[in-house]
Amino acid sequence: MLCASVANYTMNEPFKFNIIARDKSSKARAGEWHTPHGPIRTPAFMPVGTNATVKALTPQQLKDCQVSVLICNAYHLHRRPGEKIVEQMGGLHKFMNWPGPILTDSGGFQVFSLSELTKVSDSGVEFKDPINGDTIMFTPEKVMAIQEALGADIIVQFDQPVAYPATYEATKEATLRSLKWAQACLKAKQRKDQMLLGIIQGGVFNDLRELSTKSLLDMGFQGLAIGGLSVGEGSELMFESIKGIRDLIPPELPVYLMGVGTPEDISGAIKLGIDLFDCVLPTRNGRNGFAFTAQGSLRIRNLQYQSDPAPLDAQCKCYTCANPPEIPGGRAGFSRSYLRHLFQSEEMLGPTLLSIHNTYYFQSLVKQIREKILGNA
Amino acid sequence: MLCASVANYTMNEPFKFNIIARDKSSKARAGEWHTPHGPIRTPAFMPVGTNATVKALTPQQLKDCQVSVLICNAYHLHRRPGEKIVEQMGGLHKFMNWPGPILTDSGGFQVFSLSELTKVSDSGVEFKDPINGDTIMFTPEKVMAIQEALGADIIVQFDQPVAYPATYEATKEATLRSLKWAQACLKAKQRKDQMLLGIIQGGVFNDLRELSTKSLLDMGFQGLAIGGLSVGEGSELMFESIKGIRDLIPPELPVYLMGVGTPEDISGAIKLGIDLFDCVLPTRNGRNGFAFTAQGSLRIRNLQYQSDPAPLDAQCKCYTCANPPEIPGGRAGFSRSYLRHLFQSEEMLGPTLLSIHNTYYFQSLVKQIREKILGNA
């Protein structure tokens, strides 16, 4: 194995990744990823707060949902309100009143999702702002400066993801460029109180994934993200890609699988040794009236729930399902009938209550898996 | 004075209206209006929960805003989800998980605001449903049946408000018809655990207001609402209309001024002896980015707040202005800079946080006035 020694990966204080327990029957592990804003108990799931807000939820509601760490987006926050304003307000944590750890995505995915790309070179990307048409240049150095101004605990390198499907040649070019940018980001990094993750690219080509992984490890990254998956290749290919590289990464390093995903994909990836996840599913589906439950997905707008007195999920302990029955003789939580009514009436409270439920559901999912790992170590 | 004796107005248990203190320098009074779901400490302000939800706020957030009583709308809930479903779910309190008192408006104002009115007679109103075009007939009896099925603590008679300006003749016709409907509502009333309010109409014509008031008192109503004001006549005419009738109403009866209003109008009306208010202002303005503060109105989208670290109102203790500074060294509450960012980004959290602030502001307003009355008795 091309693993460097553990000593090479000792993190700068206060960062530390302690593995508390390893599952006996899989590669799953339970860890504590220490950051300047407290520990992330892994495996962990990050709700997405693109614009420095997890849509529809207050920080208090996020805490009530047992959320411990959030992801925000450097590209979006650069565009609005601008990293200088966030910095002036005391950084992202103070700006959004979130006391726990925050990770910022570099914005690479967003930049390369824009159709109006004008120029990609090894030095960076030039593109048109989709709103005002301004020409913007994103370079590894600029992305690092943005993320340092924002001040998240964990930041990621600027990278070039590729769409799926992509040719081997196109994927190789983007993978090699991403490695150059990884090096440039490491060089540009100044703040000691942030931890920078390299991003493994390579599409669905195992040799490119391997090359990417080994190169990032050689550069000395203390934690890695896996990017460019969950973009349409399907769960099977995704798991294959993870398996192809997971053993190359020293177990002492935390590994973050970007943009994943469904409860099934998260459960499967944890067994392959993934520690951290993020996805818009809980809140986006919540806003659209879809609830995750132990019994499967539930579309609250369906007529069948019109006079259903049950909560979304009788087992769930979230505010939506189990807020105290304050009416004498009342039941806990909001009925499906009421929640359907809110969606039919296009009332904001509907998206809020389903986002609370789904967010709690995802937190419970990873928490329960963590407890199983601790019990099966 | 044409006041009946106090004994005539003894309310059915558990309803009771106790005046705790009377202001020495005005007609303001502090009271306790007991209902099956607890007391309303008057003067009180009801946030508007038209569709069985105060827009953007959870019941928990309403409680945190010190809200004690809500108003919902019988017409809207009849249309969606239908009073039968609410009844089947255990009534309005259980349906929306609101443990405190609820008042339902009859829907008269909404019905007469529709342009597609087809027929008004002494028996009721026939109109086209604005959504599906169905012909609907609203009669006093039907409106009572709807409100009894919904199960609010305090309900109001079906009435015919008039727009402002309106001719004397048109106003007189509507006033007389409203009195007939008041009698019909009293006759149709079956539930003993709901209190029915008569609605004083008469536009800005003092003789019609007087006629309406005296007639309702003769019918034996134990509490009165003042309708058809705050519809464009201006504060001065509104106060004149209230003054013209207030002394006709025995002081033992609670008086509710419908649809009022601004902090100034509320303060002024309390001095004239009004006990209860409702208005969409706090939440509607909140959703539109306007905040009420002790220093006046604040439009959060204004550029001047782009990097303003102050909360909306430094004196305010609401969650938006004063949630605990959980970041070491952080300040309490959300900055104007962050709130502006949320509105600029069209994030739901913006309307939610401003609705919380404004709702708290209105509750604090009436609470402070109540404390002054108690201190000046």
Side-chain angles (χ1 to χ4, degrees), chain B residues 17 26-29 242 246 251 253-256 267-277:
Chain B
F17 182 62
S26 77
K27 290 183 184 162
R29 66 261 192 90
I242 297 171
R246 186 61 190 90
L253 268 62
V255 182
Y256 157 39
S267 303
I270 289 174
K271 288 184 187 149
L272 301 178
I274 302 295
D275 306 297
L276 187 61
F277 301 86

Side-chain angles (χ1 to χ4, degrees), chain A residues 56-58 61 338 342 346-353 356, chain B residues 48-49 52-59 61-62 282-284 286-287 348-356 359:
Chain A
L57 302 182
T58 67
Q61 288 168 330
Y338 180 64
L342 294 176
E346 297 180 357
E347 285 285 352
M348 282 172 67
L349 189 57
T352 299
L353 291 178
I356 286 175
Chain B
V48 177
T53 162
V54 176
K55 290 186 191 302
L57 303 182
T58 66
Q61 287 167 331
L62 288 169
T283 45
R284 180 177 291 168
R287 290 197 305 284
M348 282 171 68
L349 189 58
T352 298
L353 291 177
L354 258 68
S355 295
I356 286 175
T359 298

